[in-house]
Amino acid sequence: MTDFPHTPPKQSWTFSNDVNAEIRRAAATGIYDIRGGGSKRRLPHFDDLLFLGASISRYPLEGYREKCATDVWLGTRYAKKPIHLDIPVTIAGMSFGALSGPAKEALGRGASAAGTSTTTGDGGMTEEERGHSRTLVYQYLPSRYGMNPDDLRRADAIEVVVGQGAKPGGGGMLLGQKISDRVAMMRNLPKGIDQRSACRHPDWTGPDDLEIKILEIREITNWEKPIYIKIGGARPYYDTALAVKAGADVVVLDGMQGGTAATQDVFIENVGMPILACIPQAVKALQDLGMHREVQLIVSGGIRTGADVAKAMALGADAVAIGTGALIALGDNDPALEAEYQKLGTTAGAYDDWHEGRDPAGITTQDPALFSRFDPILGGRRLKNYLKVMTLEAQTIARACGKNHLHNLEPEDLCALNIEAAAMAGVPLAGTSWIPGRNGTF
Ligand SMILES: Cc1cc2nc3c(=O)[nH]c(=O)nc-3n(C[C@H](O)[C@H](O)[C@H](O)COP(=O)(O)O)c2cc1C
């Protein structure tokens, strides 16, 4: 025994309690962790940017008297029938299979009431969604699940999915628990068996083939529908340029914060780039090709508020897409269901085992007892309200920057709070004129 005080026990930062728990889980089960949602680590994000607002050198607009428009045209490059949306916040592709039928209906109801579009997903077009969506984008995916040429014609636009931000280079998963009779029938799969989607599209091997595929789709749809190409945030400069070369009307760019229905945790957390780093590269590719605003850019991955919308647009996006935010608006992870989350061994706000299909909110499930709890009319109303608030927030900021349209926001309206965000977003570090990696000086 010594009289000297002991040094308090130290936890290792490298082998933290979280890391050790995952090692124990792996050791006990021998399987990797699958979950839904997006990256949970702290990443450079829109929170690291601020708007400068107006002062003597900039003239703000008056909120109650001066308009700030929010509409957007998508697909003006080649499509005979481009899409016109009232607001630049769209609903991202989320599969029927991952989501219940009533959840799909609610997305259609909410988006239509707010004047925007919804998107199908890896699993085909449901009547719930088509019937309630004023503007529906139909995904054409590597898995070809639910692919139907008649549905291509029933859609308002077509989104060729090359990748997703949560898993660029990886395919989707839908575990057997969620493959009900209806999901199996729509995907042409056996019931109750785990399914892993292809990571590569069987119809092309590179941009030249993709161009041919897109021409085929245009022929099938009489050159009417805008064709989007969705890419995960991996090499956004080259991928955007190649998407334009392949004939895209719209590029959809999804950063690594982007949600997924089910993927390996190691993939979600370790592959891809934050959306903040992706947008300027994609915009640069469009500008270098003389195609900025000619080919529209929709960005997604962790967009939550009107401030995020405004920042994405100031960096050069034409519109944004939301997945996780829309699900939370519908009622996902609601603390009112805490007792039920506890029974599943989790807590409200952290529930991400969407692949298990036991969602007490009735959103990420195919169990009739659970999805019949979800009210699509109420869910749709909540989503409409959320979209309305996001739009009002973005307008408030745009007016303060003196802009009469959200599209007039520009990088000049922004500054960054730290060097990482300044370098990634290509805007000056606050209080300086320094853009790291661009002009090299303060
Ligand atoms: C439940 C769920 C299902 C999804 N299913 C698909 C899909 O079928 N096809 C696809 O391209 N992306 C899918 N995604 C990704 C979204 O389209 C979008 O890229 C992402 O959710 C955007 O990021 P956010 O969730 O942070 O808003 C899914 C996302 C979620 C949350």
Side-chain angles (χ1 to χ4, degrees):
M1 282 292 280
T2 161
D3 293 336
F4 294 119
H6 289 291
T7 308
K10 257 191 209 163
Q11 296 289 345
S12 164
W13 190 84
T14 310
F15 286 90
S16 63
N17 287 343
D18 280 356
V19 169
N20 293 349
E22 173 51 21
I23 293 173
R24 276 181 222 108
R25 193 205 60 77
T29 63
I31 53 174
Y32 48 57
D33 187 29
I34 296 175
R35 68 170 175 87
S39 172
K40 294 191 176 185
R41 61 155 87 198
R42 169 90 172 91
L43 290 164
H45 199 32
F46 296 117
D47 288 339
D48 299 309
L49 301 181
L50 296 175
F51 280 100
L52 296 170
S55 53
I56 298 180
S57 61
R58 299 286 183 279
Y59 200 63
L61 298 187
E62 182 57 66
Y64 293 99
R65 284 186 284 115
E66 290 169 309
K67 282 208 163 59
C68 174
T70 62
D71 67 319
V72 57
W73 283 95
L74 297 167
T76 49
R77 186 185 185 192
Y78 291 126
K80 282 195 231 163
K81 292 186 178 169
I83 283 174
H84 185 241
L85 302 178
D86 296 339
I87 62 170
V89 187
T90 64
I91 304 301
M94 291 184 274
S95 69
F96 168 69
L99 300 187
S100 64
K104 279 304 225 179
E105 177 180 333
L107 292 174
R109 284 178 180 276
S112 300
T116 190
S117 59
T118 47
T119 313
T120 62
D122 204 358
M125 186 187 283
T126 57
E127 285 315 311
E128 287 93 328
E129 195 169 30
R130 176 62 284 184
H132 290 94
S133 299
R134 192 182 78 179
T135 308
L136 180 61
V137 183
Y138 182 57
Q139 283 199 333
Y140 181 74
L141 295 117
S143 68
R144 292 200 189 124
Y145 288 138
M147 168 54 198
N148 179 341
D150 292 329
D151 288 342
L152 283 174
R153 298 191 191 98
R154 293 173 72 211
D156 300 292
I158 290 138
E159 183 167 302
V160 177
V161 178
V162 176
Q164 248 180 268
K167 48 184 180 212
M173 292 178 169
L174 190 70
L175 299 194
Q177 297 96 307
K178 292 175 80 170
I179 308 202
S180 64
D181 285 326
R182 183 176 176 203
V183 173
M185 193 265 297
M186 284 185 67
R187 296 185 182 215
N188 208 6
L189 284 172
K191 188 183 170 186
I193 308 277
D194 290 354
Q195 162 274 302
R196 281 153 205 266
S197 309
C199 61
R200 286 201 305 264
H201 208 293
D203 292 359
W204 70 82
T205 52
D208 295 336
D209 297 1
L210 180 54
E211 192 172 349
I212 296 167
K213 188 80 226 168
I214 286 177
L215 283 173
E216 259 177 37
I217 297 173
R218 287 202 194 278
E219 288 297 325
I220 295 172
T221 55
N222 196 25
W223 288 75
E224 286 178 354
K225 328 266 176 191
I227 311 259
Y228 303 7
I229 297 185
K230 178 174 180 176
I231 51 177
R235 293 175 184 79
Y237 182 87
Y238 293 110
D239 288 343
T240 302
L242 290 170
V244 171
K245 152 83 174 63
D249 292 303
V250 175
V251 174
V252 180
L253 175 63
D254 191 28
M256 81 173 278
Q257 290 99 331
T260 172
T263 299
Q264 298 95 327
D265 177 78
V266 70
F267 207 142
I268 300 174
E269 296 293 2
N270 294 285
V271 185
M273 293 209 296
I275 191 64
L276 195 62
C278 294
I279 301 174
Q281 288 197 19
V283 171
K284 178 84 171 52
L286 292 170
Q287 286 168 342
D288 287 353
L289 293 168
M291 285 287 174
H292 190 216
R293 308 291 185 209
E294 182 88 19
V295 169
Q296 288 79 34
L297 178 66
I298 301 179
V299 305
S300 58
I303 289 179
R304 307 149 297 177
T305 63
D308 293 347
V309 176
K311 288 171 188 175
M313 295 184 73
L315 291 177
D318 295 276
V320 305
I322 58 166
T324 308
L327 299 187
I328 294 170
L330 296 190
D332 173 69
N333 264 298
D334 187 341
L337 298 167
E338 180 59 20
E340 302 199 47
Y341 289 122
Q342 297 271 337
K343 281 188 217 151
L344 297 175
T346 183
T347 184
Y351 175 61
D352 58 14
D353 288 326
W354 300 344
H355 56 290
E356 291 179 349
R358 294 157 74 200
D359 181 0
I363 295 169
T364 58
T365 178
Q366 298 302 322
D367 179 344
L370 292 173
F371 72 62
S372 53
R373 290 176 174 190
F374 176 78
D375 177 353
I377 296 176
L378 179 61
R381 204 175 303 136
R382 287 187 185 140
L383 178 62
K384 182 201 78 179
N385 287 341
Y386 172 51
L387 290 167
K388 184 174 156 202
V389 169
M390 284 177 114
T391 307
L392 288 170
E393 287 173 345
Q395 282 175 301
T396 300
I397 289 172
R399 281 201 187 91
C401 296
K403 306 293 156 79
N404 64 4
H405 199 296
L406 293 184
H407 286 150
N408 296 338
L409 287 163
E410 53 194 325
E412 203 274 335
D413 292 314
L414 294 167
C415 67
L417 282 169
N418 53 52
I419 294 174
E420 289 82 359
M424 290 181 195
V427 301
L429 183 66
T432 77
S433 58
W434 184 39
I435 305 178
R438 307 287 167 101
N439 50 17
T441 52
F442 276 91

